[in-house]
Amino acid sequence: MGDTNSTSTERQLSSEKAEAILAGGMQEFLTHGFAATSMDRVAKSAGVSKATVYSHFQDKEGLFNALIRRLVEEQFSLIFASSDKEIQQADPAIVLSALANRVLEVGTKDPQFINFMRVILGESGRFPKLARAFVRNIEKTAFNTLCQYLSSCLNLSDPEATARIFVGTLVHYLIVQEMLHGKDILPMERDRLVENLVTLIVGNSAKKI
């Protein structure tokens, strides 16, 4: 019994340290960027030893990749929040509108997400592996799920291309409006964008029935 309690306590402490390291890493990467962040900085910010940081996340790239996975899981797991059965039975226009609005909500209301995206884009030239890791995680969580939905619920000739058009439109909006501060240069109401995007996709599906 004592050994079980001891093991449980150790796991809890290890989990708490990992969370502290992730939080410290996020703070340091957002403040200094990937290149200028050191594991010493992360350890100090997390309140742990550098050896503890390395024992949880083998190196700086491993820590950054863990943050990418965490960010993607937290933000994009909410995109298809309903059960598969509920989604299959719902009006596609409602499902796609809700999906688009969740994506844009994350991009416009979560400054940490936007700032982390800036770090990834800013470092992508020198550290292409980081950008590829982000794309790979997005592919697994959001893009594949969207492709599966479009394939099963809409009569589309090319669901994969349609998924890219859908995601690309939303990403372009976030980059121009939020990341590049272009709201006053290329203004566009979010509701107008979503309504027209969904109408194009659902309308294109209806024409093939």
Side-chain angles (χ1 to χ4, degrees), residues 15 28 44 88 112 131 140 151 180 187 190 197:
S15 177
E28 292 303 317
K44 184 176 180 180
Q88 296 286 337
Q112 187 178 81
K140 289 179 181 178
S151 297
L180 298 180
R190 192 174 92 176
L197 176 61

Side-chain angles (χ1 to χ4, degrees), residues 66-79 113 116 133-142:
L67 284 169
I68 289 175
R69 289 192 296 272
R70 164 69 66 85
L71 187 73
V72 170
E73 287 169 4
E74 284 182 348
Q75 301 298 358
F76 291 93
S77 63
L78 298 175
I79 287 175
F113 174 81
F116 195 65
F134 181 77
V135 172
R136 193 174 296 113
N137 278 276
I138 288 290
E139 181 88 9
K140 289 179 181 178
T141 57

Side-chain angles (χ1 to χ4, degrees), residues 48-168:
V48 299
S49 69
K50 187 163 72 169
T52 299
V53 176
Y54 278 107
S55 70
H56 282 83
F57 306 97
Q58 291 64 45
D59 52 28
K60 186 168 68 169
E61 186 175 316
L63 174 58
F64 197 88
N65 285 335
L67 284 169
I68 289 175
R69 289 192 296 272
R70 164 69 66 85
L71 187 73
V72 170
E73 287 169 4
E74 284 182 348
Q75 301 298 358
F76 291 93
S77 63
L78 298 175
I79 287 175
F80 280 88
S82 303
S83 68
D84 290 340
K85 186 176 180 180
E86 289 174 329
I87 291 172
Q88 296 286 337
Q89 294 175 346
D91 181 345
I94 294 175
V95 173
L96 291 175
S97 294
L99 167 60
N101 279 306
R102 285 194 194 105
V103 171
L104 295 179
E105 193 74 13
V106 168
T108 56
K109 298 295 178 65
D110 187 344
Q112 187 178 81
F113 174 81
I114 288 294
N115 290 332
F116 195 65
M117 283 297 300
R118 286 193 176 103
V119 172
I120 293 172
L121 291 173
E123 303 281 21
S124 62
R126 288 183 294 176
F127 306 101
K129 283 186 178 180
L130 303 180
R132 291 173 62 85
F134 181 77
V135 172
R136 193 174 296 113
N137 278 276
I138 288 290
E139 181 88 9
K140 289 179 181 178
T141 57
F143 185 72
N144 285 347
T145 303
L146 177 58
C147 283
Q148 290 169 12
Y149 172 76
L150 293 175
S151 297
S152 61
C153 294
L154 289 175
N155 184 32
L156 296 166
S157 59
D158 194 337
E160 183 180 356
T162 302
R164 290 183 181 274
I165 291 167
F166 185 87
V167 173

